[in-house]
Amino acid sequence: MDKFFQFIQPFTHLGQASKEALVNIAQRWELPKGHLLVQAGTVCHYLYFIEAGLTRTFYDKDGKEVTDWLSAENSIACSIVSFITRKPDIRSIELLEPSILWALPYQPLENLYRQYHEIERLGRLMVSDGLVQLQQRFDDLHFATASQRYQKLLQSHPTFLQRVPLGMIASYLGVTQETLSRIRAQV
Amino acid sequence: MDKFFQFIQPFTHLGQASKEALVNIAQRWELPKGHLLVQAGTVCHYLYFIEAGLTRTFYDKDGKEVTDWLSAENSIACSIVSFITRKPDIRSIELLEPSILWALPYQPLENLYRQYHEIERLGRLMVSDGLVQLQQRFDDLHFATASQRYQKLLQSHPTFLQRVPLGMIASYLGVTQETLSRIRAQV
DNA sequence: CTGATTTTTTGATAAATGTCAAAGGAAATG
DNA sequence: CATTTCCTTTGACATTTATCAAAAAATCAG
């Protein structure tokens, strides 16, 4: 879990006891490309830290798959609304690459929140960070043109272009595959 | 602060000490319509609970004001990204009605997070709720047509139509005022 | 009450993007 | 290496929504 503890370091400091408690509930999963972490219509029971690999959160819209989020190594993947509300959600999560994950199960994590103030704090700061990220994505969708959004993604996640099919990137950016293809042709 | 404590009740239970600590840092503000709570380009230093009134979060886009969020009585208003990141943000918040607010200043609140596990927990759960709300708004913008979004808003906040000018509602829904006017004419 | 201001509606036109269809490339598999 | 499958591009056209402009309606202040 070294990578995970590195990942959370900017959020808050954890004492030895908290760290050990987290290690005790975390499960290391090594899964092949294509594996479905979360199935649409079910409750998401785990928060996933991606040590290596790539995940894609998506949902069905009128028979077409829309990519909602992409997470690469050293980041979190989760069907957040479902995980928080404990209700089924339309989102599925699949692996776009063979991946190594650390899965934190909901209830044990909740227990740690109660038990360790430090971990509750970590939770608050991680959710806050998620909120900021989502707001910025939201702003982009409001503010920027599809072309600008594409440029931004190129800057922030240059590897995605090689790792994720264009159609998935297109729906992530909120346009059709054809439109994104034309945007690229112009640049 | 009764209304505030009622508001947070669904999130978590607070003991007497935590409640008193919150009361001690909260400031009761009574402000007229048009007052600017947060100025674009500055850091948001307070989390506002609205006891009575109505606020509007907005930003400038190419010389036009875009409404980002609307908050009525018994809810929270805050320039969230700025409040969390401690950086200036493009968003302003103004009062659309004379309002009674409880303002929770950032640093004292942070201190209470450290001091009271209960309050840290409350913070985590409130941010989580904010994340869910934002995600649902995001989904709407992806999923629903402008017309459906308008219908939803009518259902969830029927009073907004009387209280908020159409142009602000239009940009909140992500369309121009003219388009929203036409949508209404069709129904 | 009345003129001024703000808000909402309506019309004509332009721009952006989606849809449908098909062809061209790239990558994977036996 | 040949063939199938998946991914990407291109074209023609339809649809949606924005933009610009102006009229109509509602609201506010003296």
Side-chain angles (χ1 to χ4, degrees):
Chain A
M1 301 248 295
D2 286 359
K3 293 230 171 184
F4 175 71
F5 288 121
Q6 257 174 273
F7 170 75
I8 64 170
Q9 211 167 335
F11 292 109
T12 192
H13 176 80
L14 290 187
Q16 204 52 42
S18 302
K19 283 193 180 179
E20 275 167 24
L22 280 169
V23 168
N24 282 335
I25 67 163
Q27 302 169 23
R28 185 177 191 275
W29 292 354
E30 214 166 331
L31 294 163
K33 172 177 176 172
H35 180 89
L36 212 59
L37 280 181
V38 179
Q39 165 95 46
T42 69
V43 174
C44 176
H45 291 295
Y46 296 90
L47 183 76
Y48 302 95
F49 171 74
I50 307 167
E51 181 172 314
L54 184 60
T55 73
R56 166 194 179 227
T57 307
F58 65 98
Y59 55 77
D60 177 284
K61 183 184 179 184
D62 309 327
K64 286 181 185 171
E65 285 186 356
V66 175
T67 297
D68 187 59
W69 203 269
L70 295 165
S71 303
E73 54 281 340
N74 291 310
S75 67
I76 299 290
C78 185
S79 182
I80 306 174
V81 171
S82 175
F83 190 75
I84 291 174
T85 64
R86 316 308 299 144
K87 289 178 186 158
D89 190 81
I90 50 169
R91 272 164 271 259
S92 302
I93 304 180
E94 68 168 0
L95 300 185
L96 294 185
E97 296 175 357
S99 306
I100 299 169
L101 308 168
W102 292 93
L104 297 166
Y106 179 82
Q107 197 53 56
L109 183 60
E110 276 293 321
N111 295 343
L112 294 194
Y113 282 150
R114 300 224 175 236
Q115 213 174 333
Y116 297 93
H117 186 161
E118 278 180 354
I119 296 181
E120 184 100 58
R121 178 173 189 78
L122 173 66
R124 179 176 68 80
L125 294 171
M126 281 177 65
V127 179
S128 297
D129 185 64
L131 186 56
V132 169
Q133 278 185 54
L134 183 59
Q135 180 71 58
Q136 275 158 1
R137 172 109 187 272
F138 189 84
D139 289 348
D140 279 351
L141 221 62
H142 259 182
F143 253 104
T145 64
S147 173
Q148 291 170 323
R149 275 175 262 152
Y150 177 71
Q151 299 294 340
K152 274 199 176 188
L153 185 68
L154 272 189
Q155 283 202 329
S156 61
H157 297 279
T159 67
F160 280 5
L161 261 287
Q162 280 82 53
R163 299 166 79 185
V164 184
L166 196 71
M168 296 180 186
I169 290 178
S171 66
Y172 176 80
L173 297 176
V175 293
T176 60
Q177 174 166 323
E178 293 90 333
T179 299
L180 182 56
S181 178
R182 286 179 182 116
I183 286 170
R184 295 215 293 187
Q186 283 172 8
V187 183
Chain B
M1 300 252 293
D2 287 0
K3 294 229 171 181
F4 175 72
F5 288 121
Q6 258 173 270
F7 170 75
I8 63 170
Q9 212 167 334
F11 292 109
T12 192
H13 176 80
L14 290 187
Q16 204 52 42
S18 302
K19 282 193 179 178
E20 276 167 24
L22 280 169
V23 168
N24 283 335
I25 67 162
Q27 301 170 23
R28 186 179 190 274
W29 292 355
E30 214 166 329
L31 293 164
K33 172 178 175 171
H35 180 88
L36 213 59
L37 281 181
V38 179
Q39 165 94 48
T42 69
V43 174
C44 177
H45 292 295
Y46 297 90
L47 183 75
Y48 302 96
F49 172 74
I50 307 167
E51 181 172 315
L54 184 60
T55 73
R56 166 195 178 227
T57 306
F58 65 98
Y59 55 80
D60 179 282
K61 183 186 180 182
D62 308 327
K64 286 182 184 170
E65 285 186 355
V66 175
T67 297
D68 186 61
W69 203 269
L70 295 164
S71 302
E73 52 280 341
N74 292 312
S75 67
I76 298 292
C78 185
S79 182
I80 307 174
V81 172
S82 174
F83 191 75
I84 292 174
T85 64
R86 314 309 298 145
K87 289 180 187 156
D89 191 82
I90 49 168
R91 272 164 272 259
S92 302
I93 303 181
E94 68 168 359
L95 300 184
L96 293 185
E97 296 176 358
S99 307
I100 299 170
L101 308 168
W102 292 94
L104 298 167
Y106 178 83
Q107 197 51 59
L109 183 59
E110 277 291 321
N111 295 342
L112 293 193
Y113 282 151
R114 299 227 175 232
Q115 213 175 334
Y116 298 94
H117 186 160
E118 278 181 354
I119 297 181
E120 185 100 59
R121 178 172 189 80
L122 173 66
R124 180 176 67 82
L125 294 170
M126 281 176 65
V127 179
S128 297
D129 186 63
L131 185 57
V132 170
Q133 277 186 53
L134 184 58
Q135 180 70 60
Q136 274 157 1
R137 173 111 186 274
F138 190 84
D139 289 348
D140 279 351
L141 221 62
H142 260 182
F143 253 104
T145 63
S147 174
Q148 291 170 325
R149 274 176 261 154
Y150 177 71
Q151 300 293 341
K152 274 199 176 186
L153 186 68
L154 273 188
Q155 283 201 331
S156 61
H157 297 279
T159 67
F160 281 5
L161 262 287
Q162 281 82 52
R163 299 165 78 185
V164 184
L166 195 70
M168 294 179 187
I169 291 178
S171 65
Y172 176 79
L173 296 176
V175 293
T176 60
Q177 174 166 323
E178 293 92 330
T179 299
L180 182 55
S181 178
R182 288 181 179 114
I183 285 169
R184 294 214 293 186
Q186 285 172 6
V187 184

